[in-house]
Amino acid sequence: MTSPQPDTTPRWQDTGGGDGPLWSFSVGDVEVFPIREVDYFPLPTDFFPQLATESWTDGAFYTAEPWTRDGRIVLNQEAHLLKTRDRLILVDAGGGNGKPRNGGVFDRADRPFLEQFARAGVSVDDIDTVVFTHLHVDHVGFATSSDGAGGWVPTFPNARYLVVREEYDWWTGPEGAAAMARTGDYLADSILPLRDAGVLDLIPADHVISPEIHLVPAFGHTPGNVYLVVESAGRRALFAGDMLHHGVQLERPEWSIRYCVVPGDSADQRRRLLERVADSGDLLVPTHFPFPAAGYVHRAERGFTYTFVDL
């Protein structure tokens, strides 16, 4: 498919505001609140280097809204608050506010992300766990907030912050430091203050967070990447983080994005995930699919397709 000539001006829109209760869905006895931060619209070639030599399938579902708009891909940025009978767990922490970045959608942002917690009936003090699927810039920023004196402190003062040990070791080593040249050193303001405050826990990649929630290793997008499985009352949902970014990866799981650290491993893990959930009745919840991101995977003549949950 030949896409329309896109406008090359960077674009994004805030989507986290609003009044009234926050939209939610349930996985058995676990209530899930998507915490929306921003929609943004990069050029397809910014994310998929394969488009230098290949093209999208003519008429494929992912070439139209809600996946694509005006020749650009649609990326939704959201985190997920999981409310069990006795736990409040935040999965990933978005891009953050007031953080200096090397340009782009997350540079010194000011968005109503934390304000949404009240709409879910909780405060930042109530969160007991923050778990990072991986340590990219758009998954860690709201973990800390300004202390008003040029420093950064944990946003959720009563939470333990969980990151896979291999993930932490890679990003705090020389290869991770080199990878952050593109964005700026976001570990310095979003992860290292957690370590210094004594609230950062390095965990195994198959860590069990609660009776309903455990991690699954899926190294590739980053060297310690994981996804979460929530199982409750006979229902199951997989919180996929960055295992997928866009609908084209359903048809072509071998397409890893430009920012995958080990693209081949990322592609292998993506296909395993899709094979696991396809036609199973299990819910898939990626971070970046258009809102509402949650949906069901089905096998298709070529790859897979997707059905979003009903609002």
Side-chain angles (χ1 to χ4, degrees), residues 17-82:
D19 299 316
L22 200 64
W23 183 75
S24 66
F25 60 91
S26 294
V27 182
D29 296 325
V30 178
E31 192 168 12
V32 180
F33 297 91
I35 309 296
R36 301 183 69 195
E37 183 178 1
V38 64
D39 286 348
Y40 56 109
F41 310 93
L43 297 170
T45 50
D46 288 345
F47 264 63
F48 295 107
Q50 298 85 356
L51 287 170
T53 56
E54 302 182 55
S55 60
W56 290 358
T57 301
D58 190 29
F61 67 91
Y62 56 80
T63 65
E65 292 195 10
W67 302 98
T68 306
R69 185 184 306 170
D70 298 330
R72 293 170 173 264
I73 60 175
V74 177
L75 295 182
N76 162 39
Q77 174 72 30
E78 68 182 44
H80 298 95
L81 177 61
L82 309 181

Side-chain angles (χ1 to χ4, degrees), residues 200-265:
L200 185 67
D201 295 335
L202 304 184
I203 58 171
D206 59 355
H207 183 69
V208 176
I209 297 174
S210 76
E212 307 93 342
I213 304 167
H214 67 274
L215 305 184
V216 177
F219 300 176
H221 178 61
T222 60
N225 186 72
V226 294
Y227 64 88
L228 277 79
V229 176
V230 176
E231 297 181 271
S232 174
R235 303 298 296 170
R236 183 184 296 113
L238 287 73
F239 289 78
D242 280 9
M243 300 287 289
L244 300 101
H245 283 78
H246 189 260
V248 68
Q249 293 173 296
L250 293 160
E251 183 181 277
R252 302 186 182 187
E254 70 275 14
W255 279 26
S256 292
I257 70 165
R258 190 177 303 278
Y259 309 114
C260 288
V261 176
V262 188
D265 289 352

Side-chain angles (χ1 to χ4, degrees), residues 43-151:
L43 297 170
T45 50
D46 288 345
F47 264 63
F48 295 107
Q50 298 85 356
L51 287 170
T53 56
E54 302 182 55
S55 60
W56 290 358
T57 301
D58 190 29
F61 67 91
Y62 56 80
T63 65
E65 292 195 10
W67 302 98
T68 306
R69 185 184 306 170
D70 298 330
R72 293 170 173 264
I73 60 175
V74 177
L75 295 182
N76 162 39
Q77 174 72 30
E78 68 182 44
H80 298 95
L81 177 61
L82 309 181
K83 187 175 184 179
T84 76
R85 290 175 179 173
D86 57 359
R87 301 285 299 275
L88 279 167
I89 299 163
L90 181 64
V91 182
D92 288 325
N97 279 343
K99 304 268 174 95
R101 304 293 181 242
N102 294 338
V105 65
F106 302 110
D107 183 32
R108 295 175 176 84
D110 182 14
R111 301 190 177 101
F113 180 88
L114 297 174
E115 290 81 350
Q116 295 177 73
F117 286 75
R119 293 170 57 201
V122 302
S123 76
V124 295
D125 295 341
D126 297 325
I127 307 303
D128 61 74
T129 305
V130 178
V131 56
F132 302 109
T133 59
H134 64 293
L135 296 183
H136 270 151
V137 63
D138 54 334
H139 291 255
V140 302
F142 282 102
T144 62
S145 300
S146 172
D147 64 3

